[in-house]
Amino acid sequence: MTRHLRNDGHRVNEKRIRRLMRLLPIYQKPNTSRPAWGHKTYPYLLRELPVERPNQVWRLDITPLPVRRGARHGLEPVTAHASLYLMAIMDWHTRKVPSWRISNILE
């Protein structure tokens, strides 16, 4: 966060940003794009496939949506976090989302 603010031209102190992020319901999202050590990685099977028509390739995405649980208004620290999960199916050719769901469990 400090780096982004400094790139935008703001003069900020890293300790102040940490303190504000602790007080406000702001926290850093986990980097789920980087594989964890020891986990098996799978090859990308669609690399050479040209997507030329609808219904040829579908994509499924599950995104956690962080929400505050038990927080009050003001600058009080928020200790309990919950997540909702957004599941969306998308057609790669048309970029349309024919189906999506929001749930509080991953089932």
Side-chain angles (χ1 to χ4, degrees):
M1 180 65 76
T2 305
R3 182 177 46 128
H4 291 293
L5 289 170
R6 286 180 181 162
N7 285 343
D8 286 343
H10 300 283
R11 295 183 60 189
V12 293
N13 184 317
E14 188 171 342
K15 291 178 187 175
R16 179 177 170 83
I17 297 300
R18 271 194 216 147
R19 182 176 57 80
L20 289 174
M21 288 180 74
R22 222 179 17 251
L23 291 173
L24 299 173
I26 301 172
Y27 55 93
Q28 185 175 359
K29 297 186 294 185
N31 187 353
T32 57
S33 297
R34 234 180 333 175
W37 184 85
H39 285 203
K40 184 177 179 180
T41 57
Y42 295 92
Y44 182 62
L45 300 175
L46 302 175
R47 187 173 315 278
E48 302 298 326
L49 179 70
V51 180
E52 300 170 340
R53 64 185 189 282
N55 294 329
Q56 181 182 1
V57 177
W58 294 79
R59 174 183 183 215
L60 172 74
D61 184 50
I62 299 174
T63 303
L65 305 171
V67 294
R68 296 190 304 171
R69 181 175 20 147
R72 294 184 217 134
H73 298 290
L75 295 177
E76 299 173 15
V78 177
T79 56
H81 292 284
S83 285
L84 292 176
Y85 299 97
L86 169 65
M87 186 278 305
I89 298 174
M90 185 175 82
D91 182 356
W92 267 16
H93 185 266
T94 61
R95 304 286 190 219
K96 291 186 179 177
V97 178
S99 180
W100 61 273
R101 297 286 183 271
I102 293 180
S103 177
N104 60 347
I105 55 174
L106 278 174
E107 287 186 8

